[in-house]
Amino acid sequence: YTTYHTYWNLLKKIEDDPRYDRDQAVYLLKRFVDLHEHTIDMKVAVMLEHFEAYSKHRINGKAKAMIVTRSRLHAVRYKKAVDQYLKVRGLPYKALVAFSGAVRDGGIDYTETGMNGFSETQTAKIFERDEYRFLIVAEKFQTGFDQPLLHTMYVDKRLNGLHAVQTLSRLNRTHPGKEETL
């Protein structure tokens, strides 16, 4: 796997400044950078370009990817960015989002049902369709989700312990033509 560090240079600037509580400044800075539209757009570009170059042809051209986000708000913003990226590039894929409850962003309430256009009880079934290649999740579907065509996982959160094993295990379902995962 590949790790990207997006805010370390900014952290160095506050590290020795006595005006800041380092822990609070680090938390606020990470939150701001991680949720910033530009950051998410750049991460989406890296993920989808990678998918185009390395994953889309896997499993006889049917490979799917999961984007694991750190919060429901991240999932909402990722879904919007992925949809925009696919539209602008004219790619034939679609994305779904999975999270519980409602998320308020910019004065608008977002739900899984509202963003996907159908009941959240149908998300897993609809993801089986060929045109749906990306599933963006915030906790939901990180454990117990069984989709054999899931080949690639992009993780934008810290994983450890049993949760890491359960999340990454979403890729280990067998399918004819599935020789590896990423």
Side-chain angles (χ1 to χ4, degrees), residues 136-152:
I136 304 156
V137 303
E139 294 298 323
K140 194 172 184 180
F141 292 123
Q142 278 184 245
T143 62
F145 179 60
D146 185 14
Q147 172 45 261
L149 294 174
L150 196 57
H151 174 275
T152 304

Side-chain angles (χ1 to χ4, degrees), residues 4 41-51 85 154:
Y4 285 83
D41 287 346
M42 293 298 101
K43 288 179 180 181
V44 164
V46 168
M47 291 174 195
L48 273 62
E49 287 170 15
H50 177 273
F51 184 84
Y85 186 96
Y154 302 102

Side-chain angles (χ1 to χ4, degrees), residues 24-84:
Q24 181 67 14
V26 167
Y27 170 79
L28 292 172
L29 182 58
K30 282 182 179 181
R31 180 170 165 76
F32 174 79
V33 171
D34 286 340
L35 283 169
H36 196 278
E37 181 179 337
H38 179 74
T39 302
I40 291 174
D41 287 346
M42 293 298 101
K43 288 179 180 181
V44 164
V46 168
M47 291 174 195
L48 273 62
E49 287 170 15
H50 177 273
F51 184 84
E52 275 288 292
Y54 299 104
S55 298
K56 75 174 185 181
H57 61 281
R58 303 292 185 192
I59 317 177
N60 302 317
K62 295 183 180 285
K64 296 178 181 282
M66 179 181 279
I67 300 173
V68 180
T69 67
R70 66 188 67 211
S71 73
R72 296 176 311 145
L73 180 55
H74 281 87
V76 166
R77 292 189 179 177
Y78 264 94
K79 170 73 162 100
K80 291 164 55 175
V82 167
D83 286 349
Q84 181 65 22

